[in-house]
Amino acid sequence: MQVKTKAIVLSSLKFQEKSLIVKCFTLSHGLKSYFVRDAFSSRKANQKIAYFQPLTILEIEAVHKNKGTLENFKEIKIASAFHSIHSDIYKSTIVMFISEMLHHSIHEEETNEALFNFLEAALNWLDNHDEIANFHLILLLETTKYLGFYPDTSDMDMPFFEMNEGVFTPFHAISSLTEHESNLFKKLIDLKFDNNQKTFHVLERQIVLRILIDYYSFHLDGFKKPKSLDVLKEVFS
C-alpha cells in the first residue's frame, strides 16, 4: 500500500555500515519503522541523515506492506524546517530527551492524530520561543492525555497525589508523592507553554522530572528510563 503522510522521527539506528533503521510516529498509521538503504554512502548522505535527527517532522511517501517488517520510503522531505531546535544546545538536548521518552512510550501501530497534532504544534512552539526551561515537563504531562493516563484533577485540593491510580487523595499511601512533591505536581498541571518558564527553580524542576518519569513507569509496561536524562540534567543544572 502506497502512503503519503507526515511523520515525526523518534529514533534512528545505524544498521551495518551504510544503512539506517528509522522509527517514526506517522499521522496516518501511528508507529512505523523504515529501512533506509545506503544512508551513509551516497553523495547526498549528509542531507539524507539530516532528515532523521530526533523529532524532525517529515512529509513522506512510503510503501507499507503492514506485515510487521520494516517499511520503505519512496520520497522524503522536511515538513517543518526548524530554525533553532538543532542549533541551540538547550533545545537540542530537550528534543533528544523527549524523542527517547516517546520512543519508549508509543508502542501501537494505531492512528493517533490528536497526539501527532499536539506534538507537531509543541515542536513548532519550541522552535519559535526562547523561554523553554519547563517545556519538556509540560509536554510530557500533556502527552499523558493522549496515552490514556492524564491525572484526575477533580480532587486537586487533596494533599497527596497517588501515582498508581493517578488521583489526589487525603491520605498518604506507598505509591503517593509527599505533600511537597504533590504541590509541585499541582503547579505543573496548571502550567501552559506560554506561562512564566521560571515557575520552578533548578532543584524543583529535577524533582518534577523524576516524578514524571516515575509516573510513566507506573503506567507503561516495559518503560525504560531515558539514557539522555543525565545529559538533560547537566545542561539545565
Side-chain angles (χ1 to χ4, degrees):
M1 179 171 76
Q2 191 155 322
V3 173
K4 190 172 184 178
T5 184
K6 283 186 175 181
I8 298 174
V9 177
L10 299 186
S11 67
S12 58
L13 177 68
K14 192 172 183 180
F15 179 75
Q16 296 180 342
E17 288 300 310
K18 299 179 180 179
S19 303
L20 279 174
I21 295 172
V22 180
K23 183 178 282 190
C24 292
F25 179 52
T26 70
L27 177 61
S28 63
H29 289 78
L31 196 65
K32 284 288 181 182
S33 293
Y34 299 88
F35 183 66
V36 184
R37 190 182 303 278
D38 297 332
F40 295 92
S41 59
S42 70
R43 284 182 300 168
K44 294 185 177 180
N46 288 339
Q47 179 183 342
K48 220 181 226 185
I49 294 163
Y51 290 146
F52 306 121
Q53 293 185 75
L55 300 190
T56 299
I57 304 172
L58 303 173
E59 284 186 11
I60 65 170
E61 288 187 35
V63 176
H64 286 178
K65 296 179 180 177
N66 297 317
K67 294 181 178 178
T69 55
L70 296 173
E71 314 290 12
N72 292 285
F73 294 117
K74 289 192 71 177
E75 297 283 342
I76 314 168
K77 63 180 181 179
I78 302 289
S80 297
F82 295 136
H83 306 293
S84 63
I85 282 180
H86 296 303
S87 58
D88 181 297
I89 182 64
Y90 297 102
K91 293 183 181 182
S92 60
T93 303
I94 284 175
V95 160
M96 179 174 62
F97 170 73
I98 291 171
S99 68
E100 200 175 349
M101 286 288 293
L102 294 174
H103 173 77
H104 293 311
S105 303
I106 301 172
H107 302 300
E108 300 299 325
E109 287 194 14
E110 293 180 3
T111 304
N112 191 336
E113 290 188 12
L115 175 56
F116 187 98
N117 291 333
F118 164 70
L119 292 173
E120 182 180 29
L123 290 167
N124 282 309
W125 185 95
L126 176 66
D127 191 48
N128 289 293
H129 290 80
D130 295 322
E131 296 295 322
I132 58 165
N134 299 320
F135 175 85
H136 54 303
L137 306 177
I138 299 168
L139 182 139
L140 290 178
L141 180 63
E142 290 294 309
T143 296
T144 66
K145 288 180 180 177
Y146 307 98
L147 297 178
F149 56 98
Y150 188 75
D152 183 343
T153 60
S154 55
D155 291 314
M156 274 182 65
D157 56 327
M158 298 296 180
F160 302 106
F161 181 71
E162 199 281 312
M163 300 277 272
N164 194 41
E165 296 297 326
V167 297
F168 288 91
T169 66
F171 308 109
H172 188 269
I174 292 174
S175 54
S176 295
L177 301 178
T178 66
E179 192 164 358
H180 174 62
E181 290 169 338
S182 298
N183 285 332
L184 291 177
F185 198 53
K186 289 176 186 179
K187 195 182 287 189
L188 174 63
I189 288 171
D190 287 334
L191 281 185
K192 299 290 182 277
F193 288 133
D194 285 320
N195 290 149
N196 181 3
Q197 294 280 321
K198 296 176 182 175
T199 304
F200 301 114
H201 61 62
V202 172
L203 289 178
E204 288 178 334
R205 196 174 293 117
Q206 290 181 1
I207 291 170
V208 173
L209 181 57
R210 175 182 55 76
I211 290 168
L212 284 166
I213 291 171
D214 288 346
Y215 190 51
Y216 270 65
S217 299
F218 266 99
H219 292 273
L220 295 173
D221 290 338
F223 179 78
K224 297 178 182 177
K225 188 162 75 170
K227 295 177 182 177
S228 56
L229 179 60
D230 291 336
V231 179
L232 185 77
K233 287 180 179 176
E234 185 71 26
V235 169
F236 282 91
S237 63

